[in-house]
Amino acid sequence: MDVGTAFGGMGSSREMTIASLAEPAMLMAIFTISLGSASTSLAQIVNSIQSGQLLLRPSFAFAILAFVLIALAETGRIPVDNPATHLELTMIHEAMILEYSGRHLALIEWAGMMKLSLFCYLGIAAFFPWGIAASRDVRALGLAFVALVLKLAVIGIGIVLIETGLAKMRIFRLTEFLGAAFLMATLGMLSFFILE
């Protein structure tokens, strides 16, 4: 808002709209996984997934799908937002940082990369925890690091395939997109109670 243009206010209001729709779906997806492991502790969720208790359950599949949709929306990736655009009608996150340059822009871009990294790490820990080191010896930590790099490479390939295969959706369709994510998370929770 400091620069005196309308882009900052427009982008921040759009970002808050997306966040207010994505957060309940995110909580519902994590809650669905925590129901299957009977704990809200991430360590207990990892142990229950590694033991095979949550595999091949419909609730687990719905929660993964909801988490992927939410991660795309929260990190500003295509099809929700295009981080490389400068068209004023389609900008969401980019509208807030349009007037920045230099070290301030670098810090904002770095924060966006950290947010994407945190979503990737949370998704790996909550849904694909195989390869996490069980002890603190050097060999186990080295194997865990290699497994983490491979998982991040698979996620990167998935993001590339999504961004090259889909176009950015209209901003008025975002409510349907995030509503579908919430619906998937809710269906996961309901399928846990009904089927499992």
Side-chain angles (χ1 to χ4, degrees):
M1 302 285 290
D2 293 338
V3 294
T5 64
F7 285 123
M10 179 186 69
S12 61
S13 66
R14 289 178 179 181
E15 188 83 19
M16 289 301 294
T17 302
I18 290 173
S20 66
L21 294 172
E23 291 302 321
M26 175 75 169
L27 291 173
M28 189 70 75
I30 299 298
F31 182 65
T32 301
I33 293 298
S34 68
L35 282 174
S37 62
S39 175
T40 56
S41 169
L42 187 59
Q44 180 62 34
I45 292 171
V46 167
N47 289 334
S48 63
I49 292 174
Q50 284 180 335
S51 66
Q53 295 176 10
L54 293 178
L55 296 179
L56 301 176
R57 290 186 176 189
S59 62
F60 191 71
F62 281 126
I64 289 174
L65 184 59
F67 185 83
V68 168
L69 295 178
I70 296 160
L72 290 174
E74 281 282 338
T75 56
R77 310 305 301 181
I78 293 175
V80 175
D81 190 15
N82 186 357
T85 188
H86 291 295
L87 298 173
E88 65 181 87
L89 294 176
T90 63
M91 288 189 293
I92 298 173
H93 179 70
E94 201 61 32
M96 294 186 296
I97 64 173
L98 186 64
E99 304 291 337
Y100 285 91
S101 66
R103 63 181 182 272
H104 300 293
L105 178 62
L107 288 173
I108 293 171
E109 292 288 344
W110 187 25
M113 291 176 200
M114 286 175 53
K115 188 174 186 180
L116 179 62
S117 300
L118 287 174
F119 266 94
C120 292
Y121 297 143
L122 180 62
I124 288 170
F127 299 107
F128 304 104
W130 300 281
I132 292 178
S135 64
R136 293 185 181 174
D137 65 342
V138 177
R139 183 168 183 221
L141 291 174
L143 289 174
F145 180 74
V146 170
L148 178 65
V149 169
L150 290 175
K151 291 175 191 177
L152 287 175
V154 169
I155 289 172
I157 291 169
I159 289 174
V160 167
L161 291 176
I162 289 171
E163 289 191 351
T164 56
L166 296 175
K168 185 193 174 306
M169 68 177 63
R170 294 180 60 204
I171 196 163
F172 298 114
R173 303 279 315 264
L174 292 181
T175 54
E176 297 172 13
F177 182 82
L178 293 170
F182 185 77
L183 179 66
M184 292 297 152
T186 306
L187 285 175
M189 185 188 67
L190 291 176
S191 67
F192 174 81
F193 286 119
I194 294 171
L195 301 175
E196 302 168 17

